[in-house]
Amino acid sequence: MTDTPEISVNTLAGHLVDRLVHEATKFRCIVTKGERGETLIDAGSAVVGGIDAGLLMAEVCLGGLGTVTLTPFNASPNWPFHLTVRTKDPVIACLGSQYAGWSLQHGEGKGAFFALGSGPARALALKEPLFHDLGYADVADRATLVLEGDRPPPPEVVDKVAQACKVAADRVAFIYAPTRSLAGGVQVVARVLEVAMHKVHELKFPLSRVIDGIATAPLSPPHPDFVTAMGRTNDAIIYGGQAHLFVTGPANEAKELAAALPSTTSRDYGQPFAQIFKTYKGDFYKIDPTLFSPAAAMVTAVETGETFRAGHIDLALLDASFG
């Protein structure tokens, strides 16, 4: 349970959205209004977008509760620039906002729309069982949703989101960019801390004991092919990501958490993600879910000062994936 229910991720993220709208030319984005009056921000489909747009998108996904920066990192010499994510509220920022847990779809057949929504609007809609465990619900008069895709949602989906969030449609903003774009790739790799937090939840470690977090992963090069681009963003985390969590409670439990966190514990570890995806014939649900984790983990038990480490960066697999 969070002890900070007064935090509004939609209000905080809204300030970032306003910046993206007002400086659209600078970020190489296009801002339009949809049929319902919703704000549509294309950050990488019909526009170039770029790394800066992706960094801001990632901070929007975090509900304005985290920072995402691009910094040099000498542990992976062939891919020396890393995205570093930091938040003092990793539970709400990562699980209550950034996690892509809202499934949106409309229509059937070739023209059907499907996308996973991430970002602060999730904390208004509360459509996912996860929010029962988080104990967090946002209250705001605006909503923002980030979509990993190359087209905006149809009016029917806009209506669904507005109704679920209990806000007017003209108070909803959608930011979208495909994985193959620079901005889209950046915002996916910037989930390196989020996947660690999701695994913490799956391991049933008390979320209230995670009091701070930082994580980093190499910036993956984009690729025009969707599967290749998706594979690279996943590999950046699975084979090149590192997460450092700060937790309260017994040191032995922090040690156990560190040992269980890395992707190296997965049965599917050891091949580029695109290859794993093809092996399972494109069925995500057949992939071992424990694979979706940073390559290496550090957990510090703040009350004893002890730090525990597990996993490792795999430079050869990064090279095999990134080309």
Side-chain angles (χ1 to χ4, degrees):
M1 296 288 288
T2 177
D3 60 359
T4 54
E6 71 278 5
I7 290 175
S8 171
V9 288
N10 281 279
T11 300
L12 291 172
H15 300 314
L16 301 175
V17 174
D18 291 342
R19 182 186 173 200
L20 190 56
V21 170
H22 294 150
E23 302 180 38
T25 301
K26 171 185 172 181
F27 287 103
R28 297 190 296 196
C29 297
I30 292 178
V31 181
T32 57
K33 289 290 185 179
E35 292 183 26
R36 303 293 196 261
E38 73 277 13
T39 299
L40 303 172
I41 304 174
D42 180 352
S45 179
V47 294
V48 175
I51 292 172
D52 283 348
L55 293 173
L56 196 57
M57 280 180 68
E59 292 190 353
V60 169
C61 284
L62 288 161
L65 290 173
T67 59
V68 184
T69 55
L70 190 61
T71 53
F73 191 78
N74 61 13
S76 52
N78 288 345
W79 313 102
F81 299 103
H82 273 225
L83 292 163
T84 298
V85 184
R86 179 173 56 83
T87 173
K88 65 180 179 56
D89 205 335
V91 176
I92 297 178
C94 295
L95 300 182
S97 188
Q98 189 181 25
Y99 178 60
W102 193 356
S103 178
L104 297 166
Q105 55 189 2
H106 177 73
E108 297 179 357
K110 188 176 180 180
F113 176 86
F114 174 79
L116 289 175
S118 63
R122 296 175 47 247
L124 288 172
L126 305 177
K127 290 293 186 180
E128 306 151 51
L130 173 62
F131 283 95
H132 294 295
D133 297 334
L134 301 185
Y136 174 73
D138 194 10
V139 177
D141 65 355
R142 63 185 299 179
T144 301
L145 204 61
V146 175
L147 306 176
E148 188 180 342
D150 59 4
R151 60 179 172 140
E156 294 83 0
V157 171
V158 174
D159 290 339
K160 177 180 179 180
V161 170
Q163 290 165 11
C165 293
K166 298 180 176 61
V167 299
D170 62 4
R171 297 290 288 166
V172 182
F174 294 90
I175 310 174
Y176 62 98
T179 310
R180 59 176 168 76
S181 68
L182 272 170
V186 166
Q187 76 93 5
V188 174
V189 176
R191 297 174 183 276
V192 58
L193 182 59
E194 177 246 292
V195 297
M197 288 301 301
H198 186 258
K199 195 163 185 179
V200 168
H201 179 245
E202 291 296 310
L203 292 168
K204 302 190 184 307
F205 187 90
L207 293 174
S208 61
R209 287 171 51 188
V210 184
I211 61 171
D212 220 316
I214 186 169
T216 186
L219 176 67
S220 59
H223 194 282
D225 175 70
F226 166 72
V227 173
T228 303
M230 175 192 62
R232 287 180 173 183
T233 57
N234 277 281
D235 291 334
I237 295 172
I238 294 168
Y239 299 118
Q242 297 184 85
H244 190 173
L245 304 181
F246 301 83
V247 305
T248 59
N252 67 303
E253 294 181 11
K255 182 178 182 179
E256 292 172 358
L257 178 62
L261 273 178
S263 57
T264 50
T265 62
S266 170
R267 69 168 188 265
D268 286 329
Y269 181 94
Q271 293 180 309
F273 186 83
Q275 188 171 337
I276 296 171
F277 186 72
K278 291 175 182 176
T279 297
Y280 287 111
K281 303 186 187 307
D283 188 342
F284 265 106
Y285 296 101
K286 290 183 179 179
I287 300 172
D288 180 10
T290 65
L291 180 67
F292 299 99
S293 320
M298 299 169 59
V299 179
T300 295
V302 296
E303 293 162 353
T304 68
E306 296 172 88
T307 296
F308 305 97
R309 297 174 175 83
H312 61 273
I313 293 175
D314 195 317
L315 297 178
L317 278 167
L318 278 180
D319 288 346
S321 173
F322 289 4

